[in-house]
Amino acid sequence: MGWFGVTGGPHDGDPSRLVVTVRRAGGGGTAGAGFVLGPDTVLTCAHVVNEALGRPLFDARPPQLEEIPVEVRGTSTERYSARLLHWVAPRSRDGGEVRGTDQEWLGDLAVLRVDEPVGGGLPAIPDRADMSADQELSAWHGGGRPATLARLTVASLHDSLGYLDGTATGMAVGPGYSGGPLWCRRERAVVGLVVAHFMPPRDAATGLSLPHSPQHLIRRSWAIPWQRVRRELDAAGLPEALPPPSPDSEDPALFLLAEAVGDILYSPNERTESAKRLAQICGVGCGSDVTPPSPEEFALFLLTHPRALAAFSGMLRRDSPAAADRVLTAGSLSGTPRMLSPQEYAGLRKLLRVADRAVLARVPEAARAALPHVPAFPGGESLDVLLDRLEALPGDGHSANGLRRVPALLRVMEYVGALSPGPRRAELRLWADGVAQRLGIARAALGERRADAQAWGRSVRDRSARIRVLVQVTRAERGRHRLRIWCDEGAGPRQVSTDSLAAYSASDGAREVLRVLDSLTPPADDERPPLVEVLVDRASLDLPVDEWAAHDPGEIVPGVLGVEFPLVVHCPELLRRHGRFVSHWRSRWRRLDSGETLVVSEAMDPDALYARLVNQLDTVRVCVDVPPGPRDGIVQTCLALGIPVVVWDRGQDGASHLVQHMADVATPELPDGVRDYRANSRASPPEYPGRPVLAWADADRTVPRLHLTEPQESA
């Protein structure tokens, strides 16, 4: 292993110490097991996390900010708090929800990030190897006691799972083993993790275990092989959850760093002392006090431990700023080093751990405001995934005279500080000042970003977020639709529907949406009705959800959705399919108050419209006044190009009265203006003959992620 990290892990000779205990939140017992995946991450099963949080076992929704207690065995057993980093939901083989009667399923992985103490990563990071047939394996209960050892053999290996048979003596795999590592003594590595076991058959009438028969399946369980774990994380776009590969010997960053280390730490004694200090900061073992690491070995460590380069630059900054800049420049040629040192990262996590939940829920909003030209941050990501993405982004803004730019993460934290109360804001600023100083960023550059954040914070406080209800509508059988409903009171969408498989008629659908709307309690100082945002695919933009009415003989009023509430449609699919225009969409949205309106009053070829709008960022609103045939292509072109507001008349063949009427309504007021028009249309159809549709894509508010990517799963 070289000079860095030569001390053996605490599991040497006792692999039961590999087991991480996942406990039930609130002081309960053991929910299951896991094992250390990286310097600050633990891998377990998603259903173990659900068990720990008291949720349904196969709940597909990723937890958000909930803390999960874990116990890790180093030289002693330590308890830490962890939060979700990556989530691969349990799913059936056809991609649907896992039911309680299912005995096998796919997915079911969770990577947790652990709040480890400053100056040390988690112990006992085992090697990993592929599972193969006939391997002899060991597993332990999540409590980690050596006596719970279960001896297993890989009876059969398939693409997605391996079947394991237990020996006739000793412990059998049972509740509490899920998520635990499968240790192969021959490979001296973890080759997978336990998922489930097959229980003895029970009497269908009484539910009691049947008398034992030699024909019964005995001590059979199944596991996810390591090769499948690797594919699942890669398929989810989560390669950073796996340890980084060692750099190639021809890597230019390795060569430049080795050269820099040799020049900066010329004396062997100086190199030894610096290496020992760096190893301590990064929480790894170190080699001989007599023999220093070679410059090449030193550089190799800087490119394999993700936070070693940042820590080393911090050691150099005070006495040799030029040397610190040199190693940062060389390290930037590699994709492995992270921006923050271990202490800086732990400090940020500590600050966010005590932040208000309402502020944490708005971190994606702050990121979009701070980084308007960065492609969209998908909704539904865990906070830690978002922080990882931000940390990997380069600096933005202006750079003069070769000065370092302000990194994206620092800029976003300034915007988060603008949302925070005074003491928390001051702590975030002190943290940002320290990181900027270590990176050699000029105070004036950070001050400029801080001023931007303050101005944004004032504008956010000046406008209150309107309560909205999001309704995903998908077509079922003829004349019926499936609904999934979320509420957003300003802190992001939270699902309130319970049945995503039921099919509703228009009347029943209106009644279900009105039921949710009736359950909301708007702020006392906000008299505006909630905004209803209907999420549809591109083929359903004309679906008349605004005309759905809850016709019920026992009701006094009909309950027409688009008459009682401002109702808009949103088609995230079109933006997702043309992601290069996301930055245009954001730029236009920021100009909503002052931007221009384009009226398309005759059939225009979509290619001609594309050429006209593609870089015309001051156009924020398009009114489409053309017949239904060519209208669909024009509307979809506008939405794909990032036009946030598009208005058209669903039922008009000629010149639309609606388009003329709406020309006098300011763009920000259109949702309420369209609602008024619909009410007037029901009261006096000859005077208000239009059937308005308003596509409204708010760049400051998120939509549920699973609406975009996995509509077949429960959100």
Side-chain angles (χ1 to χ4, degrees), residues 95 472 474 484 500 576 705-715:
Q472 179 190 9
T474 54
R484 295 167 73 189
S500 61
R576 185 193 72 222
R705 185 184 184 190
L706 291 184
H707 169 75
L708 307 179
T709 57
E710 297 175 304
Q712 77 279 8
E713 294 186 1
S714 172

Side-chain angles (χ1 to χ4, degrees), residues 417-468:
L419 298 173
S420 306
R424 297 283 182 248
R425 184 185 312 128
E427 291 171 343
L428 279 170
R429 286 180 176 177
L430 285 173
W431 174 86
D433 287 341
V435 177
Q437 184 178 14
R438 196 261 303 166
L439 291 173
I441 295 169
R443 291 183 63 86
L446 184 61
E448 182 182 351
R449 303 295 172 262
R450 187 163 291 167
D452 292 342
Q454 288 175 315
W456 175 77
R458 286 192 296 269
S459 70
V460 167
R461 287 188 291 273
D462 289 341
R463 67 177 191 272
S464 59
R466 186 174 197 162
I467 292 180
R468 63 177 182 157

Side-chain angles (χ1 to χ4, degrees), residues 25 37 99 101 121 149 215 260 268 291 306 374 447 522 558 608 638 683-684:
L37 183 66
R99 293 171 175 80
T101 55
L149 166 70
Q215 293 296 104
T291 305
V374 174
C638 293
S684 180

Side-chain angles (χ1 to χ4, degrees), residues 466-471 513-514 517 526-534 545-547 560-570 668-679 692-696:
R466 186 174 197 162
I467 292 180
R468 63 177 182 157
V469 170
L470 301 99
V471 185
V513 175
L514 288 172
L517 288 161
D526 190 353
E527 297 180 353
R528 298 172 300 177
L531 177 74
V532 178
E533 186 171 333
V534 180
V545 180
D546 53 286
E547 299 174 4
V560 183
L561 293 182
V563 171
E564 296 190 24
F565 300 92
L567 185 147
V568 301
V569 298
H570 186 168
E669 307 300 324
L670 274 175
D672 291 297
V674 168
R675 176 176 67 116
D676 291 342
Y677 188 98
R678 288 170 179 148
V693 184
L694 172 60
W696 184 266

